[in-house]
Amino acid sequence: MKKLPPYSKEVEQAILACMLLDENAVAKVVSEASVEYFYNPPHQYLARTIFELFKNRKPVDVVTVLSSMTDEELQKSGGVEYISSLVDIIPTVSVLPYYLEKLREFWQLRQVIGIAFDAQVKAYEHTEDVAQIAADMGRRLADVCKTRGTVYDIGMLSDKLYERFDKFTSKETVGFKCGIPRIDSIFSGIQPGFYIIGGRPHMGKSSFSMRIAGGMGRNGARGLIFQFDGSVEGYAEKMLCQIGGFSRFDLTFGKATANAFTAAMGKLDSLNIRIVGERMDAFGIRAKVQAERENIDYIVVDQMHTIPSANPKDDEIKRLTVNAQVMKGIAVDFGIPVIAPAQVNRTVEKGSDKRPFASDLKGSGALEEEADVIMLLYRDEFYNDKTADEGITEVDICKNKLTEICPKPLKLTKPESWDIFGEV
């Protein structure tokens, strides 16, 4: 016997009844569902008619629905008698939220079945590589889990606002401290948001993001690192050197002492940080975050420009735009900091002053628009042998939507120890 996809005839009837009885119910259903949420074909036809009447600002009730349908449409929707009988199914429209949630759940289950079937077909045909099949499946599943048009009563947010106010007045940080006092002061800790750390090669953007991640880890935050710019082992080794206060040169050539190495390993082991080394597109990252949501407080994506495209046909600008939008979506939907080093165009080096602006970021339009925070790094010693700022990294916070504080560039010490980017 063929098994029917998940759905409930009674749930669909109840929602149609609510819409026929109350136009406010129509508005709620239209904002949170679509015709495809209904599985039963007659119910789809009827829902489509109701939606069209509402969108054309016409009244919705049994009479207007019946009069707007052709004989063929009436037959496909169950007939005059069936449609007229729907209003007697429910005692009150107050039941709508419950039934609407069930309608959404059944639709999501049907989508999951369809996505799994498509992946199964592709796997049998073996026309795409495994990573692409998995990434496409992850992206589609993540889309299914999104809800449409969730609305919050402002009074429901009062507890959160009181909590933030208490932290402000008690001088606690809203987010996790990263251990760099000025950074923690400016942002009130690393709050949920999309952080771009930009710079040319050798400016230390990956090391800076690592320092922030490690500092948050020392303060109890649980991190997930997506390491696409090098190996997982290399990333762990760099973090070990930061913690131990010795360079990778010292480690490679045996200049780091056994005591220093052992002490650093102990600190590294105490951090609740995990690293994902498999390259995946932005939707794959989102799916991974969703799967691990209960175990993470922040993510680092190293680097923004190494995230592959979900669609091989996309050009670089389209790829960066989509990826930036997905990263911002992760920060908003999951309420976590998303920290991403990003490349700066080489054209910045043609000027006499090689300090970058936000507009110098590769694909700057999308990154500037989506980022909550943009921090740009600059090391004068890389360009100027006679600089007075040897060993200094400038951090220009050129965008800050979180606390709206954009001070003059901070001057921090160079990245060669766990106290890297300490303040000058």
Side-chain angles (χ1 to χ4, degrees), residues 210-211 214-215 218 236-246 260-271 273 416-420:
M210 183 186 294
R211 172 63 180 88
R218 285 201 296 180
E237 186 177 290
K238 284 191 286 187
M239 182 167 277
L240 175 70
C241 292
Q242 282 192 7
I243 293 172
F246 44 78
F261 179 84
T262 302
M265 280 299 300
K267 293 178 181 178
L268 183 67
D269 287 341
S270 70
L271 300 178
I273 294 176
E416 286 188 0
S417 73
W418 180 245
D419 293 322
I420 96 180

Side-chain angles (χ1 to χ4, degrees), residues 296-336:
I296 55 176
D297 297 307
Y298 69 92
I299 68 169
V300 175
V301 182
D302 192 8
Q303 297 186 23
M304 189 69 202
H305 291 81
T306 57
I307 304 173
S309 175
N311 184 351
K313 295 181 180 180
D314 287 348
D315 59 24
E316 184 177 18
I317 297 299
K318 177 67 173 176
R319 174 175 67 88
L320 290 174
T321 299
V322 171
N323 290 346
Q325 291 170 344
V326 174
M327 293 303 107
K328 177 60 174 286
I330 292 173
V332 172
D333 295 343
F334 298 104
I336 59 173

Side-chain angles (χ1 to χ4, degrees), residues 170-184:
S170 65
K171 297 186 178 179
E172 290 183 29
T173 57
V174 174
F176 284 95
K177 290 183 179 180
C178 72
I180 303 174
R182 284 288 287 142
I183 296 291
D184 286 331

Side-chain angles (χ1 to χ4, degrees), residues 396-414:
D396 180 12
I397 303 171
C398 59
K399 181 179 181 181
N400 178 8
K401 289 177 64 178
L402 301 180
T403 61
E404 300 182 352
I405 301 172
C406 294
K408 292 181 180 179
L410 310 179
K411 290 192 175 184
L412 307 177
T413 54
K414 64 182 180 181

